[in-house]
C-alpha cells in the first residue's frame, strides 16, 4: 500500500507538472505583458474555487476584523492575481529585469536603497538580507547581482519534484547562489557567513518547533536561525522587499540596516530579533495586503513550541 501510494503521488505530480508546462508553453507564445495579464485574469477566476481560498479568507478575517466581506474578497482576489503573475514571471525573468543604474529613463524595475546595494557589495564582511513572499521576491537576488553583490539565497523547493527541477533551473540562469531549505541548511548558511559571504532568507513562513512570535497580533511559530546567525557572527541585517506596481512594473527596496535588540550581556537577543523580523514583514503586508500569500497556514501551531530563551543553538 505504501509503494502504491507513493507511485500514485508520483503520477499526480507528473500530471500536474505536464499541465503546468503546457500552460507555460502557451504563455511563452505571448508578449510578457499579455501573458502576465492573462495569468492574473485566469487566477482570479480559479482561485476562489480551490480549497486554499477558504484558508486565505479565514486568515484575512482574523487579521482584519474591521474589514467587510467585500474588502476581504477583493484582497483575496488580488492575492491570487499576484501569485499567478509570480508563477508566469519565471518564464520572463530575463526580459522583465531591465534595471540599468546608468539609464536616463525609468524602466520596468526601479530600485530604492541603491547605496545599500553598493555598500554591501563592497564590504568584505558577512551580511544577512531578509524578505517575505511579497510581489516578485525572486527579483531581489537578480538586482543584487547587478550591483556585484555575491549572495546565496535560501529557498524552499516545491513539493512537486518535476516543477522543482524546472523552477530551480530557471532560477539558476538569472541569480546567484541558491541553497534549498532542508536539514543542514542552517549549517550551510553559517559556512557562507564564516567566509564573509552574504545570505538572503525568507522569514514569513511557519516553522514547526520554532520560537513563538506574533504576527498580526496572533501567535505563530517562526524560524530563529537568522537571529542565531546574527548573534554568532554579529553581522548587519537588512530588510529587502519587492513591491508590485501597476503596469507590470516593480520597485525593489533595501531599507536601512536594523538595530538588533540585545540582551543585558550585549549579545543579539534571538527571540526579540525573530519578533522584530516578523514585525517588519507585517508592516510590509499591511501596506500591500494583496501581494502576500494569505493561503499559507502561518498561524497553525504544531510541534514543541519554544518561547524566549528556549531557542536551540544552531552551528
Amino acid at each position: 500500500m505504501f509503494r502504491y501510494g507513493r507511485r500514485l503521488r508520483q503520477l499526480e505530480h507528473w500530471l500536474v507538472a505536464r499541465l503546468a508546462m503546457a500552460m507555460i508553453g502557451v504563455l511563452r507564445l505571448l508578449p510578457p505583458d499579455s501573458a502576465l495579464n492573462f495569468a492574473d485574469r485566469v487566477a482570479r477566476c480559479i482561485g476562489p474555487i480551490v480549497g486554499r481560498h477558504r484558508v486565505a479568507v479565514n486568515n484575512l478575517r482574523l487579521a482584519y476584523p474591521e474589514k467587510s466581506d467585500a474588502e476581504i474578497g477583493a484582497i483575496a482576489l488580488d492575492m491570487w492575481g499576484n501569485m499567478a503573475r509570480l508563477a508566469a514571471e519565471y518564464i520572463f525573468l530575463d526580459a522583465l529585469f531591465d534595471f540599468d543604474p546608468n539609464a536616463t529613463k525609468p524602466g520596468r524595475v526601479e530600485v530604492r536603497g541603491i547605496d545599500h546595494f553598493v555598500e554591501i557589495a563592497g564590504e568584505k564582511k558577512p551580511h544577512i538580507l531578509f524578505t517575505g513572499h511579497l510581489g516578485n521576491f525572486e527579483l531581489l537576488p537578480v538586482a543584487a547581482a547587478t550591483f556585484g553583490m555575491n549572495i546565496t539565497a535560501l529557498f524552499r523547493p516545491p513539493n512537486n519534484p518535476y516543477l522543482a527541477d524546472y523552477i530551480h533551473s530557471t532560477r539558476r540562469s538569472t541569480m546567484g547562489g541558491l541553497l534549498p531549505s532542508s536539514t543542514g541548511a542552517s549549517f550551510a548558511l553559517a559556512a557562507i557567513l564564516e567566509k564573509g559571504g552574504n545570505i538572503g532568507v525568507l522569514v514569513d513562513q511557519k516553522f514547526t518547533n520554532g520560537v513563538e512570535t506574533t504576527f498580526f497580533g496572533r501567535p505563530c511559530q517562526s524560524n530563529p536561525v537568522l537571529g542565531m546567525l546574527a548573534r554568532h557572527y554579529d553581522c548587519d541585517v537588512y530588510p529587502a522587499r519587492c513591491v508590485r506596481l501597476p503596469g507590470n512594473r516593480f520597485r525593489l527596496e533595501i531599507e536601512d540596516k536594523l538595530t538588533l535588540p540585545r540582551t543585558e550581556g550585549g549579545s543579539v537577543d534571538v527571540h526579540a530579533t525573530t519578533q522584530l523580523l516578523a514585525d517588519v514583514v507585517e508592516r510590509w503586508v499591511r501596506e500591500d495586503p494583496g501581494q502576500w500569500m494569505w493561503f499559507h497556514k502561518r498561524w497553525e501551531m504544531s510541534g514543541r513550541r519554544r518561547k524566549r530563551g528556549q531557542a536551540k543553538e544552531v552551528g
Side-chain angles (χ1 to χ4, degrees):
M1 290 297 293
F2 175 77
R3 288 195 298 270
Y4 175 76
R6 184 172 59 183
R7 290 172 181 171
L8 189 62
R9 284 194 301 274
Q10 185 176 10
L11 175 61
E12 180 184 3
H13 285 154
W14 185 85
L15 291 173
V16 170
R18 291 301 94 195
L19 176 61
M21 296 306 293
M23 294 177 64
I24 288 171
V26 172
L27 292 176
R28 285 186 187 277
L29 300 176
L30 301 173
D33 287 309
S34 298
L36 301 182
N37 294 337
F38 174 75
D40 184 297
R41 290 194 299 271
V42 171
R44 288 171 183 268
C45 295
I46 296 177
I49 65 176
V50 303
R52 286 282 178 163
H53 185 74
R54 292 190 296 272
V55 176
V57 169
N58 182 60
N59 284 336
L60 281 163
R61 284 174 176 160
L62 291 172
Y64 295 104
E66 75 282 2
K67 291 189 180 296
S68 66
D69 287 346
E71 291 173 311
I72 295 297
I75 295 174
L77 288 181
D78 286 344
M79 175 202 69
W80 288 119
N82 176 69
M83 297 309 299
R85 287 178 181 275
L86 174 62
E89 283 159 0
Y90 278 112
I91 306 170
F92 305 106
L93 276 180
D94 289 328
L96 292 176
F97 190 85
D98 63 352
F99 179 76
D100 180 358
N102 301 315
T104 57
K105 295 181 180 180
R108 190 186 293 271
V109 176
E110 62 182 61
V111 177
R112 292 184 181 177
I114 290 178
D115 290 346
H116 292 321
F117 275 106
V118 174
E119 180 181 3
I120 295 169
E123 291 183 334
K124 302 300 182 182
K125 65 177 186 177
H127 303 83
I128 298 175
L129 285 75
F130 73 92
T131 190
H133 291 81
L134 290 148
N136 190 330
F137 51 90
E138 303 284 12
L139 290 174
L140 288 167
V142 182
T146 299
F147 291 98
M149 186 193 303
N150 182 19
I151 188 167
T152 298
L154 182 69
F155 76 100
R156 182 184 181 279
N159 293 330
N160 187 315
Y162 302 102
L163 290 178
D165 288 343
Y166 169 75
I167 292 175
H168 193 200
S169 64
T170 303
R171 283 168 156 165
R172 206 166 38 221
S173 67
T174 54
M175 302 178 185
L178 292 168
L179 178 66
S181 57
S182 59
T183 302
S186 59
F187 297 100
L189 293 174
I192 293 168
L193 295 175
E194 183 74 38
K195 297 176 182 177
N198 308 305
I199 62 172
V201 185
L202 288 154
V203 299
D204 57 341
Q205 289 185 299
K206 170 188 176 334
F207 187 75
T208 302
N209 293 329
V211 297
E212 184 172 326
T213 56
T214 59
F215 191 61
F216 280 79
R218 298 166 59 194
C220 59
Q221 292 170 290
S222 300
N223 192 337
V225 168
L226 191 152
M228 293 176 180
L229 293 172
R231 179 179 65 185
H232 186 77
Y233 294 99
D234 200 22
C235 50
D236 294 336
V237 176
Y238 287 85
R241 65 167 166 169
C242 174
V243 179
R244 193 179 296 281
L245 303 175
N248 296 317
R249 297 183 64 251
F250 311 89
R251 183 172 69 245
L252 306 179
E253 302 177 354
I254 290 189
E255 299 179 357
D256 294 341
K257 66 182 177 183
L258 296 180
T259 300
L260 301 182
R262 303 271 174 170
T263 65
E264 292 183 0
S267 61
V268 171
D269 186 321
V270 174
H271 184 275
T273 295
T274 306
Q275 181 62 63
L276 177 59
L277 306 183
D279 292 341
V280 171
V281 175
E282 180 178 331
R283 168 170 59 84
W284 291 340
V285 175
R286 287 188 180 278
E287 291 177 7
D288 298 287
Q291 298 193 26
W292 191 64
M293 52 175 201
W294 289 95
F295 58 78
H296 176 56
K297 296 182 179 180
R298 181 67 177 96
W299 292 274
E300 183 179 73
M301 306 295 286
S302 60
R304 180 168 54 85
R305 293 154 62 179
R306 295 196 297 265
K307 298 186 178 182
R308 180 183 292 275
Q310 294 181 314
K312 185 178 179 181
E313 186 63 71
V314 174

